[in-house]
Amino acid sequence: MNLANITLEGRHARLAPMAPHHVDALWNVAQDPRIWEFTTAVIRSADEARTYVETALSWQSAGTAVPFVTMDRASGTVIGSTRFANIDWDNRRVEIGWTWLNPKWWRTAINTDTKYLMLRHAFEEWKCVRVEFKAALKNKRSRTAVARLGAREEGTLRRHMLQPDGSWRDTVYFSILDDEWPGVKQRLEERLQR
């Protein structure tokens, strides 16, 4: 399956395939330290932005990820990134994650639109039976956002991931199943129409 040329476009967001030429744009919007407070991947320099893109594209080449730059559809501006990852074709599941936005776009319809587009693609194009999300236990904002999508909290993995500062992160897992998707889809479409 070709994972390199997927573009998803909604009312508010456009998810374009990540490419090496996006390094500067991503670095420009990644400089607010609030973005990286709870993440295991951090962009604190142009070199780290380059490494971030190179890593995402290497995962794509391996067939385990589809990385996007997130764009504000109205302006065409790159405002963050997200990706499908941990793709497991045999078990028809995928994770949506590595999602970050410049804080200027927090609490806007962009994230809802982004997740709607990705969930619709996963369930309706790829025929996934399970879409997973994970968030740091301490990241209440992200956990609340994932739950508001309609994802069900499954549990917490303790000392799950090592943070860049050397501390351990406890990670909360969430999922949406294919038989839950119609109801989730309807609620997200209603939210996006408001």
Side-chain angles (χ1 to χ4, degrees), residues 35-56:
I35 299 168
W36 311 109
E37 185 176 5
F38 301 108
T39 63
T40 55
V42 177
I43 298 176
R44 295 170 293 212
S45 68
D47 284 341
E48 286 183 346
R50 187 172 299 99
T51 299
Y52 185 89
V53 170
E54 289 170 354
T55 299

Side-chain angles (χ1 to χ4, degrees), residues 18-24 26-27 30 36 40-60 67 81 83 98 100:
M18 184 183 286
H21 71 269
H22 289 117
V23 169
D24 290 339
L26 289 170
W27 168 232
W36 311 109
T40 55
V42 177
I43 298 176
R44 295 170 293 212
S45 68
D47 284 341
E48 286 183 346
R50 187 172 299 99
T51 299
Y52 185 89
V53 170
E54 289 170 354
T55 299
L57 295 177
S58 73
W59 292 4
Q60 182 170 341
S81 182
R83 73 183 74 157
W98 289 260
W100 58 271

Side-chain angles (χ1 to χ4, degrees), residues 1 12 45 49 57 66 82 92 108 113 128 137 142 150 164 187 190:
M1 184 174 295
H12 308 283
S45 68
L57 295 177
V66 178
T82 191
R92 295 173 42 205
T108 69
D113 202 19
C128 288
L137 178 64
S142 288
R187 286 188 300 278
E190 288 168 358

Side-chain angles (χ1 to χ4, degrees), residues 25-36 70 77-81 99-108 110-111 141:
L26 289 170
W27 168 232
N28 286 336
V29 295
Q31 295 182 38
D32 190 312
R34 292 176 294 173
I35 299 168
W36 311 109
T70 305
T77 305
V78 172
I79 61 173
S81 182
T99 302
W100 58 271
L101 294 171
N102 181 280
K104 179 180 174 183
W105 285 274
W106 288 1
R107 293 182 177 80
T108 69
I110 295 278
N111 191 49
R141 184 179 53 79

Side-chain angles (χ1 to χ4, degrees), residues 12-15 70-72 79 81-83 96-102 105-119 133 141-149 188 191-192:
H12 308 283
R14 181 173 193 265
L15 302 180
T70 305
M71 304 171 80
D72 172 49
I79 61 173
S81 182
T82 191
R83 73 183 74 157
I96 294 175
W98 289 260
T99 302
W100 58 271
L101 294 171
N102 181 280
W105 285 274
W106 288 1
R107 293 182 177 80
T108 69
I110 295 278
N111 191 49
T112 302
D113 202 19
T114 296
K115 295 304 188 293
Y116 169 77
L117 294 168
M118 295 178 80
L119 286 163
F133 303 85
R141 184 179 53 79
S142 288
R143 289 186 6 252
T144 299
V146 171
R148 278 186 45 211
L149 294 172
L188 291 175
R191 281 174 55 191
L192 288 167

Side-chain angles (χ1 to χ4, degrees), residues 6 10 12 26 32 41-42 49 54 57 63 67 74 84 95-96 106 142-143 156 160 168-170 178-180 184:
I6 298 170
H12 308 283
L26 289 170
D32 190 312
V42 177
E54 289 170 354
L57 295 177
F84 290 115
E95 180 180 344
I96 294 175
W106 288 1
S142 288
R143 289 186 6 252
T156 302
H160 180 235
W168 286 99
R169 171 179 128 165
D170 294 343
D178 58 344
D179 58 351
E180 298 164 341
V184 169

Side-chain angles (χ1 to χ4, degrees), residues 139-171:
N139 191 345
K140 184 168 175 43
R141 184 179 53 79
S142 288
R143 289 186 6 252
T144 299
V146 171
R148 278 186 45 211
L149 294 172
R152 187 175 292 180
E153 184 175 325
E154 296 182 322
T156 302
L157 301 182
R158 300 176 303 153
R159 290 192 191 158
H160 180 235
M161 302 174 85
L162 189 60
Q163 298 287 104
D165 67 1
S167 66
W168 286 99
R169 171 179 128 165
D170 294 343
T171 301

